[in-house]
Amino acid sequence: MTDLESLLNDRLAAAFAAVAGEPADPVVRRSQHADFQADGALPLARRLGRAPRDIAADALGRADLADLVATAEISGPGFINLKLRGDALAGLLAAMSGDERLGVPAASAPETVIIDYSHPNVAKEMHAGHLRSTVIGDAVARTLDWLGHDIRRANHVGDWGTPFGMLIEHLLDLGETEAAHELSVGDLNGFYQAARVKFDADPVFAERSRLRVVALQSGDETTLRLWRLLVDESEKYFLAVYDKLGVTLTAADFCGESYYNDMLAPVVDTLDGLGLLQESDGAQCAFPQGFAGRDGQPTPIIVRKRDGGYGYGATDLAAIRYRTQELKATRLLYVVGSPQSRHLEMVYQTAREAGWLAEPARAVHVGFGQVLGADGKKLASRAGQTVKLMELLEEAVTRAAAIVAEKNPELDADTRAEVARMVGIGAIKYVDLSSDRIKDYTFSWERMLSFSGDTGAYLQYTHARIKSIFRRGGVGPDRAAVVLLDSPAERALAMELLGFPAVVADAAQTLQFHRLAGYLQGLAGAYTAFYDNCPVLKADGPTRASRLLLCDLTARVIAQGLGLLGIEAPERM
RNA sequence: GCCCUCGUAGCUCAGGGGAUAGAGCAACGGUUUCCUAAACCGUGGGUCGCAGGUUCGAAUCCUGCCGGGGGCACCA
């Protein structure tokens, strides 16, 4: 019960409801003119035919706020400005300090959540385009997991389809040992491109590849073994990237397209039985309601291609059915780039029409924009090639190491390397999560690795400074200390700290992590003002104990908040 | 052609229908016998793409235009 905003909201909602005779939003917001303002009187004015100031006064008279609010004033056209009691803030903060969960309640109704993210392609390098899905999806997973939901990470790996004919033939040409070596060291692009070149240039190879696809689809044992080899070696490499990136995906989360192979025929049959399929140009198609393409013609999802093979639409539909019917998931999150918005909406609509996506289950596209280079175009290397994710991560750590070595030469080599890893990887994750995910963002090493400003490193630095106080003082926090909020800086810090539960709840619902990032920046700013104005170790007795508690709580909130974003908080840096 | 999305300070970005639109970076000017100056304080800087509309009130909601990006059947 440390969520200040909901407390105020609940109390005022009751008062406004009493005035209005029906439920009414009190419109509680943080305010420049007070701690909070409640603007609920204004929208009611017309409906009730009364002056808004009069309504505000009436609501205030009925509101039970004595234990929380020191002063409440009506201002302007009918805003209620609320200044909170210091002892109320101190009490809430004490409760937060004593709570392992920092005032954030576990979900009252945990649900099974599928998070479909990362989805690299077998025998293809992970590149910058996989970064956002992986980073955002992992933040989703960490956040919902912390709130107590039953999380299923679904790594929908591209491990099936016609390219595997040529890939397997290329593997045979190379020899299994050599091929496995090439794949395991991560030269996936080289492997794929070599196969592609042969496919385009050599008709004999191309024909072998086509026959190999047939063998693969008909379940030929030798072919399947070779296919499995490609998949296994690629997955090993993906896990190395995940380890480098510090995400929670494991080998157990690989659930590629091939996983649904046996479900495709039944899914298509079921759709057909429901009357949802039509033949068009020789293909079996579903035409979900509400989607038109060129010429206003309905746009199909192709579930079965003219050649008899299944399309990705069939796989996506099989996955939905499996997730809601077998796994009993009620929240399906697709962390996929914005361009696929339409396709996903069509899949969801088809699933609804088939009865596989019904309340309380719902599917949400957690979309995101592109990563742009300095030229404003999709991030690419000098030569115009895609940027390998592994190389991007290595460069981030290398650059961070140089900066850490320069800023703090006293760190021993091991610590420096560890800090560089946390800072470099954290920087990449932070830029990705700190602006509205639906927008594109511009990639800039200089900006993201700056140690001041809106960066991960600044938050990590704030955390490290706090930890330094405890080290320097040779003390630990007394989490049961009496909280004193005598100075404006202490009071302002308290207000920020108490905002944490609401921000986490918002992030869990909207999956807009930039609001959490922005909150942490605000908290770090409030802490720095406190740090400058309120000596901690030099203070005495209860003041010192209270300030140590504030330091401890701030460090815990920053570390937890960063943790939800998948960013580590070093003890020193 | 249709659909989606974005357009806010020089740059990168926040802004859940509410008061005088905010941060960070960059620029300029300050602050250190003090727990990490990797910091802090101050100053300047905006017809919120344009035009209508809804509303007591619009950067926010609606419509139309302009501009950038993306998508529109057998790749996923």
Side-chain angles (χ1 to χ4, degrees):
Chain A
M1 276 303 273
T2 49
D3 190 347
L4 185 51
E5 197 170 325
S6 357
L7 271 179
L8 286 172
N9 199 72
D10 292 349
R11 306 279 187 91
L12 285 161
F16 274 105
V19 173
E22 60 187 36
D25 182 1
V27 195
V28 175
R29 303 284 137 89
R30 289 291 292 272
S31 176
Q32 299 173 14
H33 305 83
D35 291 329
F36 285 92
Q37 63 185 63
D39 305 338
L42 286 89
L44 287 176
R46 167 160 296 219
R47 191 135 44 98
L48 301 182
R50 295 171 58 186
R53 288 186 68 103
D54 183 38
I55 295 170
D58 196 351
L60 207 44
R62 297 177 193 238
D64 172 25
L65 294 170
D67 58 328
L68 293 175
V69 169
T71 63
E73 292 171 350
I74 296 167
S75 144
F79 305 120
I80 301 174
N81 288 338
L82 300 167
K83 190 157 185 300
L84 297 169
R85 290 172 53 145
D87 60 349
L89 295 178
L92 290 166
L93 223 42
M96 186 175 175
S97 176
D99 181 3
E100 282 299 318
R101 296 189 55 86
L102 299 165
V104 178
S108 54
E111 56 182 337
T112 298
V113 185
I114 306 287
I115 307 165
D116 188 320
Y117 70 109
S118 192
H119 32 71
N121 293 309
V122 163
K124 273 190 178 174
E125 192 76 45
M126 288 191 75
H127 54 83
H130 294 105
L131 176 66
R132 300 211 68 186
S133 177
T134 308
V135 167
I136 294 166
D138 210 54
V140 172
R142 289 172 189 265
T143 301
L144 297 182
D145 186 47
W146 191 54
L147 292 176
H149 292 287
D150 178 16
I151 298 304
R152 309 291 176 84
R153 295 169 179 79
N155 197 346
H156 198 77
V157 177
D159 64 359
W160 200 254
T162 48
F164 282 90
M166 71 177 191
L167 291 170
I168 290 170
E169 288 302 322
H170 180 57
L171 181 148
L172 287 169
D173 286 358
L174 279 182
E176 291 180 33
T177 314
E178 176 57 28
H181 174 72
E182 209 170 285
L183 291 167
S184 65
V185 297
D187 189 14
L188 306 189
N189 280 358
F191 188 92
Y192 189 95
Q193 281 160 13
R196 182 86 235 175
V197 165
K198 278 198 285 185
F199 185 87
D200 291 337
D202 178 353
V204 176
F205 182 84
E207 183 54 26
R208 274 165 56 199
S209 300
R210 275 188 280 273
L211 291 172
R212 188 59 73 177
V213 173
V214 174
L216 179 65
Q217 286 171 342
S218 62
D220 174 64
E221 265 188 46
T222 306
T223 302
L224 280 175
R225 189 182 61 79
L226 296 168
W227 167 77
R228 194 68 236 170
L229 182 65
L230 284 173
V231 173
D232 286 346
E233 293 301 326
S234 295
E235 289 185 348
K236 274 184 211 163
Y237 182 68
F238 300 151
L239 288 172
V241 176
Y242 295 148
D243 184 57
K244 187 83 180 176
L245 184 55
V247 292
T248 57
L249 284 165
T250 67
D253 303 317
F254 287 123
C255 188
E257 292 163 357
S258 63
Y259 185 81
Y260 302 96
N261 281 351
D262 293 343
M263 307 179 203
L264 299 180
V267 159
V268 170
D269 288 347
T270 306
L271 287 170
D272 199 23
L274 290 167
L276 293 172
L277 295 187
Q278 292 175 38
E279 190 177 317
S280 175
D281 272 346
Q284 286 293 314
C285 302
F287 290 88
Q289 293 292 310
F291 296 90
R294 285 186 231 271
D295 311 327
Q297 297 287 55
T299 305
I301 290 186
I302 292 169
V303 295
R304 191 151 201 192
K305 297 183 288 188
R306 192 163 35 202
D307 66 7
Y310 295 100
Y312 57 88
T315 310
D316 287 340
L317 286 164
I320 285 203
R321 189 174 80 155
Y322 176 69
R323 290 166 181 181
T324 59
Q325 308 303 300
E326 302 299 320
L327 300 179
K328 306 294 181 194
T330 49
R331 196 179 183 191
L332 281 62
L333 303 174
Y334 288 78
V335 189
V336 177
S338 297
Q340 289 192 54
S341 162
R342 184 182 168 83
H343 167 69
L344 288 171
E345 290 303 332
M346 289 174 67
V347 169
Y348 302 160
Q349 179 58 27
T350 304
R352 278 185 213 105
E353 290 172 13
W356 301 331
L357 190 60
E359 287 290 332
R362 68 273 186 215
V364 176
H365 176 203
V366 184
F368 52 84
Q370 285 190 327
V371 184
L372 304 178
D375 58 359
K377 295 181 179 172
K378 193 167 94 172
L379 186 66
S381 69
R382 288 71 52 190
Q385 304 285 322
T386 56
V387 177
K388 291 185 177 186
L389 184 51
M390 194 57 133
E391 289 176 2
L392 192 75
L393 301 178
E394 280 163 358
E395 181 165 359
V397 174
T398 304
R399 284 175 178 267
I403 296 168
V404 171
E406 183 199 327
K407 303 282 190 189
N408 194 347
E410 283 145 40
L411 289 178
D412 63 82
D414 286 351
T415 307
R416 196 193 309 161
E418 189 61 5
V419 169
R421 187 184 62 75
M422 294 184 190
V423 170
I425 298 298
I428 284 197
K429 290 184 178 178
Y430 190 84
V431 280
D432 209 297
L433 295 166
S434 60
S435 65
D436 192 349
R437 64 177 151 72
I438 207 68
K439 297 185 182 179
D440 298 342
Y441 71 86
T442 305
F443 193 91
S444 160
W445 287 118
E446 194 180 330
R447 208 189 307 277
M448 68 198 268
L449 280 166
S450 167
F451 284 57
S452 61
D454 185 15
T455 66
Y458 174 68
L459 295 174
Q460 291 171 321
Y461 175 58
T462 302
H463 179 264
R465 286 169 94 190
I466 298 173
K467 290 298 184 176
S468 169
I469 291 176
F470 289 103
R471 267 198 310 277
R472 183 66 68 102
V475 291
D478 173 5
R479 290 183 178 166
V482 173
V483 178
L484 304 170
L485 302 174
D486 297 324
S487 74
E490 287 170 301
R491 196 176 187 287
L493 177 59
M495 286 290 297
E496 286 298 320
L497 286 166
L498 292 171
F500 185 58
V503 166
V504 174
D506 176 81
Q509 194 193 351
T510 66
L511 309 178
Q512 295 187 315
F513 291 95
H514 71 289
R515 295 193 196 167
L516 173 56
Y519 164 80
L520 293 173
Q521 285 295 327
L523 174 62
Y527 177 80
T528 312
F530 161 82
Y531 180 91
D532 282 348
N533 289 292
C534 304
V536 177
L537 295 176
K538 288 192 169 58
D540 297 317
T543 299
R544 177 176 148 121
S546 169
R547 288 178 178 173
L548 282 168
L549 181 147
L550 289 173
C551 288
D552 171 63
L553 199 47
T554 303
R556 288 161 69 196
V557 170
I558 289 177
Q560 182 65 54
L562 285 175
L564 297 179
L565 300 178
I567 299 171
E568 295 176 80
E571 296 284 310
R572 65 180 80 213
M573 60 189 281

